[in-house]
Amino acid sequence: MNRRNIMDEQQNPPDKLNSITALRDAEQLAIKQEEMVEAIANYTANWESWFDNNGKIIWTNPVSVKFTGYSPAEILALPDYVESLVAEADRERVSKVLHEALLENCDSSVEFQCIRKDHSLFRMLVTWKHIYNKEGISLGIRTSGQDITNFRKAEEDNSHTESLYRQMIDNAPFGMHFYQLNDQDMLIFTSANQAANTILGIDHLHLLGLPIEEAFPSLKGTGVIEHYRDAALNNKTWVTDQIYYSDQKFSGVFEVKAFQTVPGRMVAIFSDITNRKQAEEALQESQQLFETLTRVSPVGIFRTNASGATTFVNPKWTALTGLSFQDAMDYKYLSAIHPDDREERVKEWNTAVKKGKPVVSEYRFLRSDGSIIWVQGHAVPEIADGRLKGYIGTITDISELKLAEQELLIAKEKAEASNRLKTTFMGNISHEIRTPLNGIIGFAELISSGNNTKEENEECIGFLNNSINRLTRIIDNIMDLSMMMSGNIPATSENFRVDTLIKEIIQHHELPATGKNLRFIKEGLDQLAGKSVISDQSLIKRIFNELVSNAVKFTNQGNVSISCSINNNTLIFNVKDSGIGISQHLLPYIFEPFVQEDVYTARVSNSNGLGLSIVNEAVNLLGGIVVAESSPETGTSITVSLPVIEAPDEKDGSFYQPETIRQNDPPVILIVEDEEINMIYLRRILSLKDYKLFLANNGLEAIHLIEQGNHIDLILMDMKMPGMDGFETTRRIKEIAPDIRIAAITAYASDADRKECIEAGCDDYLSKPFQKNDLYQLIKKML
């Protein structure tokens, strides 16, 4: 180590030397950092400057040239930069802001018009921050300037555009509704233009902020709200030519277009097209009226020129004639006129055209398919300016009228026959009622005379019973036929066995058939064993019974054939006899009341002539078909086809299981009857049997006897009583003692009456008048 080094070490100890080195390194680092910052500032896009605490610019970056046209040196040399760089209108304000910025320790900004070196102007936005040394001493403010001329211009343009947009909305000739979706995806009504107020006639201010369902409640359920939401949410445009809207505030027809403005927002543009729609509807109605008169006219319309050649026909004309439009033009249509009518028609038409007179004629068209149509043609001259322009005419289909004319003679003959039948009908009613009445009165007088022996009285009583039964059947048949023809008997449905029904009918007629040595031939009945159907059992039984009864009555020798089958839900029943038969001229009328082959002569077999009328009406009620075939002396065959519902087969056995009564005690019967003579009759015939009787004159007395706890096995209930009738009494008794059996004994004799009695709670039914054996059988069955 040399002496200098030794002296340096003595003058500058190692610790002091280290401190100096560190300080120099720090100064060099600061210089480098300052150069780096200055380099960054020089090349930044903004115009950067440094103002000292006196407000003088002590540094600015080269961007000043781009902004102002002045170099940094020229900027620093400016005697008064505010005077040189700030537009006159902004100088005072900028000087004040700069002064306040130097005094106050806060950051801020100022916007002003800046003057370039070439005296042009631009908009400048200057922001600043205070700068300090490391000891915290203020060194001034650093400013950063931006040219915002284009930005402000864009803002002004945008503002102007928005103003124009607002004016366009406010002055639009159509209504506009604005909506936006809230957080719950509900459409909220936000605005409307003036046209919307005018079109709807309301002030929308009170609707602002409401959900669309509350603002316009009539839109709920129309699908409009869903389309609006889809437009706002998914940018789907929706257009409809009409929306019908109506509430307490306004109503009308509107044309609507809905589309998204920005995501989550949409606008609905609408126009009131009510008047237009009304005008369109009126025009459409007028057009429809025109089409109705020309194209959909109930008559054919044609038009000709002055010479009579066809120039126009409407669709109805072509439909009537079978010709096409082209085939109808000129005189080509003449070829379709029936050959027997053509010559006369041409002559008539030519004469009318020559004289310019109207023409009316009837003629036939022969269509291409061979069918013939009768038409009536009317044609009148079309006059314009006193000259014949042509003819306008119509053709009307009169085929049915012509057919009616042909049928008129047949109808006249039928009407004359019907009049004779009506006269006979009234005479037969009188005859059929007076005949048994005469027997009743006559034999009653003979019995009461006291001049007869016991055997003669018994014979008179038999004749008396026969007359009573005959009168009862006549009255029942007349009433049933009247009810059927008036439609007061509804068809019912029940499940029943066909074989059982037919066996009952055959058994009922076997005795009179045997008495006439007639033989029953049964065909196909074995296949019906156990077969059940669902239909109106009562009406079907009546049909079968009347047919078999007629066959037995009008057959004096030979046989009666009965066949029955069920196929495809159709019940087919045929009765064929070898009786007297029916002539062909009378066969079409056999279903009229009181019609028989000998309708104008003596009646036979105690028949009242109502059976087939009842059959016909009953078949019609059930929706079936009845066909009769016959000829004199060879017999008659009548076939009935009825729609039924085939039910599952049933085993033989009784559905009625009567309640077991006490073995040692006589049956107890309660008679409920308000008519004294009927009560006396019932009491006497029941007293002949070992029955214990209770008597009640009305419903209340009967209910009182039940409530007292009297044991009663059977009630014979009159259904027509004053006060509480039999229907209500039956219902009340069934509520108190549901196990007591009740039989309706009533003069209500129709099937509908029987059904009503059963529905009221009765277990069985017997119509008045009846014989004592009928009552005994009913009681035996029920007990």
Side-chain angles (χ1 to χ4, degrees), residues 498-499 502-503 522-532 563-566 646 649:
V498 179
D499 58 337
I502 295 177
K503 288 177 183 178
K522 308 163 190 175
E523 299 178 1
L525 302 187
D526 294 340
Q527 285 74 26
L528 295 178
K531 296 291 185 181
S532 297
S563 66
C564 186
S565 63
I566 303 173
E646 297 183 46
D649 296 349

PDB file of all heavy atoms in Angstrom, residues 498-499 502-503 522-532 563-566 646 649:
ATOM      1  N   VAL A 498    -133.695 -63.521 -23.428  1.00  0.00           N
ATOM      2  CA  VAL A 498    -134.624 -63.583 -24.553  1.00  0.00           C
ATOM      3  C   VAL A 498    -135.392 -64.902 -24.539  1.00  0.00           C
ATOM      4  O   VAL A 498    -136.605 -64.923 -24.786  1.00  0.00           O
ATOM      5  CB  VAL A 498    -133.868 -63.409 -25.881  1.00  0.00           C
ATOM      6  CG1 VAL A 498    -134.819 -63.498 -27.054  1.00  0.00           C
ATOM      7  CG2 VAL A 498    -133.140 -62.077 -25.897  1.00  0.00           C
ATOM      8  N   ASP A 499    -134.711 -66.033 -24.234  1.00  0.00           N
ATOM      9  CA  ASP A 499    -135.405 -67.324 -24.261  1.00  0.00           C
ATOM     10  C   ASP A 499    -136.516 -67.389 -23.232  1.00  0.00           C
ATOM     11  O   ASP A 499    -137.603 -67.918 -23.484  1.00  0.00           O
ATOM     12  CB  ASP A 499    -134.400 -68.465 -24.057  1.00  0.00           C
ATOM     13  CG  ASP A 499    -133.633 -68.336 -22.742  1.00  0.00           C
ATOM     14  OD1 ASP A 499    -133.544 -67.208 -22.218  1.00  0.00           O
ATOM     15  OD2 ASP A 499    -133.139 -69.361 -22.236  1.00  0.00           O
ATOM     16  N   ILE A 502    -139.548 -65.353 -24.551  1.00  0.00           N
ATOM     17  CA  ILE A 502    -140.300 -66.033 -25.610  1.00  0.00           C
ATOM     18  C   ILE A 502    -141.103 -67.204 -25.042  1.00  0.00           C
ATOM     19  O   ILE A 502    -142.255 -67.450 -25.439  1.00  0.00           O
ATOM     20  CB  ILE A 502    -139.344 -66.502 -26.715  1.00  0.00           C
ATOM     21  CG1 ILE A 502    -138.706 -65.285 -27.397  1.00  0.00           C
ATOM     22  CG2 ILE A 502    -140.069 -67.368 -27.740  1.00  0.00           C
ATOM     23  CD1 ILE A 502    -137.698 -65.631 -28.452  1.00  0.00           C
ATOM     24  N   LYS A 503    -140.518 -67.950 -24.078  1.00  0.00           N
ATOM     25  CA  LYS A 503    -141.249 -69.063 -23.456  1.00  0.00           C
ATOM     26  C   LYS A 503    -142.517 -68.568 -22.769  1.00  0.00           C
ATOM     27  O   LYS A 503    -143.576 -69.206 -22.858  1.00  0.00           O
ATOM     28  CB  LYS A 503    -140.346 -69.779 -22.458  1.00  0.00           C
ATOM     29  CG  LYS A 503    -139.246 -70.613 -23.100  1.00  0.00           C
ATOM     30  CD  LYS A 503    -138.347 -71.235 -22.045  1.00  0.00           C
ATOM     31  CE  LYS A 503    -137.200 -72.020 -22.702  1.00  0.00           C
ATOM     32  NZ  LYS A 503    -136.273 -72.589 -21.692  1.00  0.00           N
ATOM     33  N   LYS A 522    -141.361 -73.908 -33.546  1.00  0.00           N
ATOM     34  CA  LYS A 522    -140.343 -73.042 -32.950  1.00  0.00           C
ATOM     35  C   LYS A 522    -139.008 -73.284 -33.656  1.00  0.00           C
ATOM     36  O   LYS A 522    -138.508 -74.400 -33.681  1.00  0.00           O
ATOM     37  CB  LYS A 522    -140.201 -73.324 -31.458  1.00  0.00           C
ATOM     38  CG  LYS A 522    -141.540 -73.273 -30.715  1.00  0.00           C
ATOM     39  CD  LYS A 522    -141.453 -73.935 -29.356  1.00  0.00           C
ATOM     40  CE  LYS A 522    -142.838 -74.086 -28.737  1.00  0.00           C
ATOM     41  NZ  LYS A 522    -142.796 -74.820 -27.466  1.00  0.00           N
ATOM     42  N   GLU A 523    -138.447 -72.216 -34.193  1.00  0.00           N
ATOM     43  CA  GLU A 523    -137.193 -72.318 -34.946  1.00  0.00           C
ATOM     44  C   GLU A 523    -136.115 -71.446 -34.295  1.00  0.00           C
ATOM     45  O   GLU A 523    -136.346 -70.263 -34.035  1.00  0.00           O
ATOM     46  CB  GLU A 523    -137.394 -71.860 -36.393  1.00  0.00           C
ATOM     47  CG  GLU A 523    -138.403 -72.686 -37.170  1.00  0.00           C
ATOM     48  CD  GLU A 523    -138.597 -72.167 -38.579  1.00  0.00           C
ATOM     49  OE1 GLU A 523    -137.926 -71.178 -38.925  1.00  0.00           O
ATOM     50  OE2 GLU A 523    -139.411 -72.741 -39.328  1.00  0.00           O
ATOM     51  N   GLY A 524    -134.968 -72.042 -34.040  1.00  0.00           N
ATOM     52  CA  GLY A 524    -133.810 -71.294 -33.534  1.00  0.00           C
ATOM     53  C   GLY A 524    -133.870 -70.929 -32.067  1.00  0.00           C
ATOM     54  O   GLY A 524    -132.987 -70.242 -31.557  1.00  0.00           O
ATOM     55  N   LEU A 525    -134.898 -71.408 -31.352  1.00  0.00           N
ATOM     56  CA  LEU A 525    -135.015 -71.019 -29.941  1.00  0.00           C
ATOM     57  C   LEU A 525    -133.991 -71.721 -29.062  1.00  0.00           C
ATOM     58  O   LEU A 525    -133.612 -71.203 -28.014  1.00  0.00           O
ATOM     59  CB  LEU A 525    -136.441 -71.293 -29.434  1.00  0.00           C
ATOM     60  CG  LEU A 525    -137.578 -70.590 -30.191  1.00  0.00           C
ATOM     61  CD1 LEU A 525    -138.898 -70.807 -29.480  1.00  0.00           C
ATOM     62  CD2 LEU A 525    -137.284 -69.097 -30.318  1.00  0.00           C
ATOM     63  N   ASP A 526    -133.567 -72.935 -29.507  1.00  0.00           N
ATOM     64  CA  ASP A 526    -132.567 -73.654 -28.694  1.00  0.00           C
ATOM     65  C   ASP A 526    -131.252 -72.890 -28.624  1.00  0.00           C
ATOM     66  O   ASP A 526    -130.531 -72.951 -27.629  1.00  0.00           O
ATOM     67  CB  ASP A 526    -132.325 -75.047 -29.286  1.00  0.00           C
ATOM     68  CG  ASP A 526    -133.560 -75.928 -29.176  1.00  0.00           C
ATOM     69  OD1 ASP A 526    -134.421 -75.621 -28.335  1.00  0.00           O
ATOM     70  OD2 ASP A 526    -133.663 -76.912 -29.946  1.00  0.00           O
ATOM     71  N   GLN A 527    -130.926 -72.168 -29.721  1.00  0.00           N
ATOM     72  CA  GLN A 527    -129.666 -71.408 -29.727  1.00  0.00           C
ATOM     73  C   GLN A 527    -129.721 -70.182 -28.812  1.00  0.00           C
ATOM     74  O   GLN A 527    -128.702 -69.540 -28.565  1.00  0.00           O
ATOM     75  CB  GLN A 527    -129.322 -70.964 -31.152  1.00  0.00           C
ATOM     76  CG  GLN A 527    -128.791 -72.064 -32.055  1.00  0.00           C
ATOM     77  CD  GLN A 527    -129.871 -73.019 -32.501  1.00  0.00           C
ATOM     78  OE1 GLN A 527    -131.037 -72.636 -32.564  1.00  0.00           O
ATOM     79  NE2 GLN A 527    -129.495 -74.264 -32.792  1.00  0.00           N
ATOM     80  N   LEU A 528    -130.912 -69.849 -28.337  1.00  0.00           N
ATOM     81  CA  LEU A 528    -131.056 -68.666 -27.470  1.00  0.00           C
ATOM     82  C   LEU A 528    -130.936 -68.995 -25.988  1.00  0.00           C
ATOM     83  O   LEU A 528    -131.063 -68.100 -25.153  1.00  0.00           O
ATOM     84  CB  LEU A 528    -132.418 -67.998 -27.717  1.00  0.00           C
ATOM     85  CG  LEU A 528    -132.644 -67.404 -29.108  1.00  0.00           C
ATOM     86  CD1 LEU A 528    -134.051 -66.841 -29.197  1.00  0.00           C
ATOM     87  CD2 LEU A 528    -131.628 -66.315 -29.393  1.00  0.00           C
ATOM     88  N   ALA A 529    -130.730 -70.257 -25.645  1.00  0.00           N
ATOM     89  CA  ALA A 529    -130.671 -70.642 -24.239  1.00  0.00           C
ATOM     90  C   ALA A 529    -129.595 -69.838 -23.506  1.00  0.00           C
ATOM     91  O   ALA A 529    -128.426 -69.845 -23.884  1.00  0.00           O
ATOM     92  CB  ALA A 529    -130.395 -72.136 -24.128  1.00  0.00           C
ATOM     93  N   GLY A 530    -130.018 -69.143 -22.473  1.00  0.00           N
ATOM     94  CA  GLY A 530    -129.083 -68.345 -21.663  1.00  0.00           C
ATOM     95  C   GLY A 530    -128.667 -67.029 -22.269  1.00  0.00           C
ATOM     96  O   GLY A 530    -127.895 -66.290 -21.671  1.00  0.00           O
ATOM     97  N   LYS A 531    -129.181 -66.717 -23.478  1.00  0.00           N
ATOM     98  CA  LYS A 531    -128.783 -65.473 -24.139  1.00  0.00           C
ATOM     99  C   LYS A 531    -129.524 -64.287 -23.517  1.00  0.00           C
ATOM    100  O   LYS A 531    -130.749 -64.318 -23.366  1.00  0.00           O
ATOM    101  CB  LYS A 531    -129.085 -65.525 -25.636  1.00  0.00           C
ATOM    102  CG  LYS A 531    -128.305 -66.594 -26.396  1.00  0.00           C
ATOM    103  CD  LYS A 531    -126.832 -66.246 -26.466  1.00  0.00           C
ATOM    104  CE  LYS A 531    -126.075 -67.245 -27.312  1.00  0.00           C
ATOM    105  NZ  LYS A 531    -124.632 -66.924 -27.377  1.00  0.00           N
ATOM    106  N   SER A 532    -128.766 -63.256 -23.186  1.00  0.00           N
ATOM    107  CA  SER A 532    -129.338 -62.049 -22.591  1.00  0.00           C
ATOM    108  C   SER A 532    -129.001 -60.834 -23.453  1.00  0.00           C
ATOM    109  O   SER A 532    -127.960 -60.789 -24.112  1.00  0.00           O
ATOM    110  CB  SER A 532    -128.804 -61.817 -21.172  1.00  0.00           C
ATOM    111  OG  SER A 532    -129.185 -62.868 -20.321  1.00  0.00           O
ATOM    112  N   SER A 563    -139.725 -67.800 -34.961  1.00  0.00           N
ATOM    113  CA  SER A 563    -138.264 -67.917 -35.003  1.00  0.00           C
ATOM    114  C   SER A 563    -137.646 -66.660 -34.417  1.00  0.00           C
ATOM    115  O   SER A 563    -138.213 -65.573 -34.502  1.00  0.00           O
ATOM    116  CB  SER A 563    -137.770 -68.126 -36.441  1.00  0.00           C
ATOM    117  OG  SER A 563    -138.028 -66.976 -37.219  1.00  0.00           O
ATOM    118  N   CYS A 564    -136.471 -66.854 -33.814  1.00  0.00           N
ATOM    119  CA  CYS A 564    -135.786 -65.702 -33.184  1.00  0.00           C
ATOM    120  C   CYS A 564    -134.287 -65.958 -33.205  1.00  0.00           C
ATOM    121  O   CYS A 564    -133.831 -67.095 -33.031  1.00  0.00           O
ATOM    122  CB  CYS A 564    -136.270 -65.524 -31.745  1.00  0.00           C
ATOM    123  SG  CYS A 564    -135.626 -64.032 -30.953  1.00  0.00           S
ATOM    124  N   SER A 565    -133.527 -64.888 -33.444  1.00  0.00           N
ATOM    125  CA  SER A 565    -132.065 -64.999 -33.448  1.00  0.00           C
ATOM    126  C   SER A 565    -131.458 -63.669 -33.025  1.00  0.00           C
ATOM    127  O   SER A 565    -132.113 -62.629 -33.084  1.00  0.00           O
ATOM    128  CB  SER A 565    -131.545 -65.395 -34.833  1.00  0.00           C
ATOM    129  OG  SER A 565    -131.866 -64.393 -35.781  1.00  0.00           O
ATOM    130  N   ILE A 566    -130.207 -63.741 -32.588  1.00  0.00           N
ATOM    131  CA  ILE A 566    -129.447 -62.542 -32.203  1.00  0.00           C
ATOM    132  C   ILE A 566    -128.160 -62.549 -33.002  1.00  0.00           C
ATOM    133  O   ILE A 566    -127.388 -63.519 -32.942  1.00  0.00           O
ATOM    134  CB  ILE A 566    -129.140 -62.516 -30.690  1.00  0.00           C
ATOM    135  CG1 ILE A 566    -130.430 -62.599 -29.873  1.00  0.00           C
ATOM    136  CG2 ILE A 566    -128.354 -61.258 -30.330  1.00  0.00           C
ATOM    137  CD1 ILE A 566    -130.188 -62.745 -28.383  1.00  0.00           C
ATOM    138  N   GLU A 646    -125.878 -57.032 -26.809  1.00  0.00           N
ATOM    139  CA  GLU A 646    -125.734 -58.401 -26.323  1.00  0.00           C
ATOM    140  C   GLU A 646    -125.009 -58.389 -24.987  1.00  0.00           C
ATOM    141  O   GLU A 646    -123.948 -57.785 -24.830  1.00  0.00           O
ATOM    142  CB  GLU A 646    -124.975 -59.241 -27.335  1.00  0.00           C
ATOM    143  CG  GLU A 646    -125.709 -59.384 -28.675  1.00  0.00           C
ATOM    144  CD  GLU A 646    -124.960 -60.275 -29.639  1.00  0.00           C
ATOM    145  OE1 GLU A 646    -124.506 -61.358 -29.202  1.00  0.00           O
ATOM    146  OE2 GLU A 646    -124.814 -59.893 -30.814  1.00  0.00           O
ATOM    147  N   ASP A 649    -123.981 -64.316 -21.217  1.00  0.00           N
ATOM    148  CA  ASP A 649    -124.984 -65.345 -20.978  1.00  0.00           C
ATOM    149  C   ASP A 649    -125.204 -65.531 -19.490  1.00  0.00           C
ATOM    150  O   ASP A 649    -124.287 -65.359 -18.661  1.00  0.00           O
ATOM    151  CB  ASP A 649    -124.549 -66.673 -21.606  1.00  0.00           C
ATOM    152  CG  ASP A 649    -124.465 -66.551 -23.122  1.00  0.00           C
ATOM    153  OD1 ASP A 649    -124.942 -65.521 -23.648  1.00  0.00           O
ATOM    154  OD2 ASP A 649    -123.922 -67.472 -23.761  1.00  0.00           O
TER     155      ASP A 649
END
